Amino acid sequence: MEPYSISISCPVQTERESEIISSVLDTENMDLPNGDLKKEIAIKDKSVCVTFSTKDIKLLRNSANMIMDHIPLIKETISRFGPPLDVDNSAQ
């Protein structure tokens, strides 16, 4: 059976905001040890794109729902702390 997949794209205002959202989503360990779920996160222009693929349609639905719950919370947290600052790692 071919795996099911879903891609979710979330527009953001700045590239830094997309980096923060991507980083938070990447730290959430959703990839299962047996490889049943694959998660890919990419930043395209000013959007965060998350793609899931799995052979289990229920797992796909739950994963997509979780992302749809988390992204607004991450964006709200960013807005409460003010616009994200650009971080220059070369100055360290």
Side-chain angles (χ1 to χ4, degrees):
M1 175 172 37
E2 291 293 317
Y4 299 101
S5 66
I6 188 169
S7 294
I8 300 169
S9 180
C10 172
V12 294
Q13 294 182 3
T14 66
E15 287 183 32
R16 181 67 181 133
E17 187 176 342
S18 65
E19 292 170 0
I20 292 170
I21 292 171
S22 173
S23 176
V24 171
L25 294 177
D26 196 37
T27 59
E28 294 176 359
N29 189 11
M30 296 181 62
D31 294 337
L32 302 177
N34 58 5
D36 285 347
L37 177 69
K38 298 292 182 192
K39 174 181 70 173
E40 296 177 19
I41 300 173
I43 299 172
K44 297 178 184 173
D45 298 321
K46 289 185 179 177
S47 293
V48 177
C49 303
V50 182
T51 302
F52 293 107
S53 59
T54 182
K55 292 182 180 180
D56 183 347
I57 192 73
K58 291 179 184 177
L59 181 58
L60 182 68
R61 182 193 67 213
N62 290 337
S63 301
N65 285 342
M66 191 271 324
I67 287 292
M68 298 300 288
D69 287 341
H70 279 80
I71 289 176
L73 291 173
I74 298 166
K75 290 179 80 169
E76 181 181 342
T77 301
I78 291 171
S79 70
R80 287 185 183 248
F81 283 95
L85 302 175
D86 287 328
V87 178
D88 183 9
N89 291 332
S90 63
Q92 295 180 357

